[in-house]
Amino acid sequence: MTTLVCCLDRDSTVTTATGLTPPVVGWEAVRSLVTDVGLDDPEATTVNCLLEALRVTRDLNDSGTDAIVAVVSPGPAGSTAPDRAVADQIDELAADYDLTATVVVTGATDDERLLPVIESRLQVDGVDRVVVRQARDIESTYYLLKQFLADEELRTTVLVPLGISLLLVPALLLWFSPAVALAGLAALLGGAVLYKGLGIDEYVGRLPEVSRELLYSGQMSVVTYVTAAGLTIVGLFSGGLAVTPLSVTPAPLSAAVFLHSSSPWLTFAGVTAATGRLLDRLIADAALPTAMLSLPAAVLAIGIITRGFTGYLLTIGIRIGPLNLAPIHRLAVFVAVGVLVSLLGVRAAAALEAQTGESTTE
């Protein structure tokens, strides 16, 4: 039984510097990588990661544990998905060397994204994170700032929002009070941090490609999503127009009015989008899980119940309709209808799934 000391290199520094095909296995092979990678980029943290992997392997062998060192890397950038490539290399090492456990050595936070891939295949006995000590003098700070300014991604993430905020400060102070200007500046910086922190920029960057794929694939969801977006906009405008005359109304009541007016449109938008996904799966003859089949009914049920509660809040003490229903009775009717719609949707979804399963078996 052998323990693997695995040095992770998710950014493919090793393959870029040496041109080797990962994984690189063995003491001598990894030790030679230290020189090759160090000569290519002396400031790379991968050099320290390789040295730490060698040290851990030496200590394990000295303590009587059979250990082997290896470097796994996705290979050339863009060749394949990094996680999938590393998973294949771990499977190959486990089959060739009868591995039972591993000690993972990482040199960057990005490398640790591969830990779940390794944990799903081998027992991880430990994670060794290499932190490089830096000198704390003025010269080192100067060079760190130069590296920071040379990194395009860091510049656009940090300096651009900061620069825009500083440019807006004089304009905000000219038109508004200092309190309003400070609040607007804080909101701008908070929005920029959330935009990057939540990964919204990645979704926005993929949006043109996804839209192009949907248009070329001829899926029904393209039409239903556009329709759902239109219904959502109409619903928001409807709610806003309903609240506009109520300028002196308390905020909770205004929120109830907004939801009451917009909920039918938003409900239809959700049902339309969910139905488009169902139609795509039906056209492609793909499996239809119960959760997806019951989604339109669930959205419709939520919309009915929401309409009932907002109507109850707006009509307390008033009897409505030809049946002269009290608000609490009207609320009960809406809730009952919503629950009934949800149950019917689940029942129909289960029946359709069973029918689909029978036809597939035949």
Side-chain angles (χ1 to χ4, degrees):
M1 300 298 183
T2 305
T3 297
L4 172 67
V5 179
C6 181
C7 179
L8 297 181
D9 177 36
R10 193 175 190 274
D11 56 359
S12 303
T13 302
V14 170
T15 55
T16 302
T18 64
L20 296 176
T21 301
V24 180
V25 189
W27 178 276
E28 294 299 332
V30 174
R31 190 168 66 172
S32 67
L33 287 181
V34 176
T35 303
D36 295 338
V37 176
L39 289 175
D40 184 74
D41 185 5
E43 297 180 350
T45 57
T46 307
V47 176
N48 302 90
C49 186
L50 293 171
L51 290 171
E52 178 66 10
L54 291 172
R55 186 193 67 80
V56 173
T57 305
R58 181 196 62 190
D59 293 346
L60 288 175
N61 287 323
D62 291 343
S63 64
T65 302
D66 186 14
I68 185 171
V69 63
V71 180
V72 296
S73 175
S79 60
T80 184
D83 296 356
R84 181 68 263 173
V86 170
D88 294 339
Q89 294 170 36
I90 294 296
D91 291 337
E92 177 185 343
L93 292 172
D96 293 344
Y97 297 96
D98 191 21
L99 303 176
T100 58
T102 180
V103 176
V104 179
V105 181
T106 65
T109 305
D110 192 50
D111 296 337
E112 298 184 13
R113 295 171 59 182
L114 296 172
L115 282 177
V117 178
I118 299 177
E119 290 174 342
S120 65
R121 287 160 171 79
L122 292 174
Q123 174 185 332
V124 177
D125 287 345
V127 178
D128 191 348
R129 298 176 177 87
V130 180
V131 179
V132 181
R133 292 188 296 271
Q134 299 286 351
R136 300 180 180 273
D137 53 13
I138 297 178
E139 185 179 2
S140 296
T141 304
Y142 168 74
Y143 283 108
L144 287 175
L145 286 174
K146 283 188 64 177
Q147 291 179 351
F148 170 78
L149 295 175
D151 192 319
E152 182 178 357
E153 183 177 358
L154 287 175
R155 290 202 311 268
T156 55
T157 303
V158 178
L159 296 183
V160 172
L162 183 60
I164 294 175
S165 301
L166 293 176
L167 288 175
L168 287 177
V169 168
L172 292 174
L173 290 176
L174 284 174
W175 291 96
F176 305 101
S177 64
V180 174
L182 181 61
L185 183 61
L188 176 63
L189 290 176
V193 171
L194 288 177
Y195 181 79
K196 188 67 178 179
L198 295 177
I200 299 176
D201 57 331
E202 298 180 2
Y203 291 105
V204 173
R206 291 200 303 266
L207 186 60
E209 181 180 357
V210 173
S211 301
R212 185 168 58 252
E213 291 178 356
L214 289 175
L215 288 172
Y216 291 160
S217 63
Q219 295 180 351
M220 284 295 299
S221 57
V222 178
V223 179
T224 56
Y225 285 164
V226 172
T227 305
L231 291 172
T232 301
I233 295 174
V234 173
L236 295 177
F237 269 93
S238 177
L241 292 175
V243 174
T244 300
L246 309 176
S247 56
V248 295
T249 305
L253 186 58
S254 297
V257 172
F258 180 87
L259 286 175
H260 190 74
S261 299
S262 62
S263 59
W265 297 98
L266 298 179
T267 300
F268 288 137
V271 172
T272 302
T275 304
R277 294 185 60 188
L278 282 177
L279 291 174
D280 286 341
R281 298 294 290 267
L282 288 172
I283 294 172
D285 291 331
L288 294 174
T290 304
M292 181 175 291
L293 287 169
S294 61
L295 183 59
V299 174
L300 181 60
I302 293 172
I304 293 173
I305 294 174
T306 302
R307 178 79 172 185
F309 273 102
T310 55
Y312 171 76
L313 295 175
L314 297 176
T315 58
I316 295 178
I318 304 174
R319 294 185 177 273
I320 301 175
L323 299 179
N324 199 25
L325 292 176
I328 189 64
H329 297 153
R330 184 172 181 269
L331 174 61
V333 171
F334 271 89
V335 172
V337 172
V339 173
L340 179 61
V341 169
S342 179
L343 291 175
L344 291 175
V346 173
R347 181 69 176 174
L352 287 173
E353 187 178 28
Q355 183 178 359
T356 304
E358 292 177 0
S359 61
T360 302
T361 302
E362 293 175 359

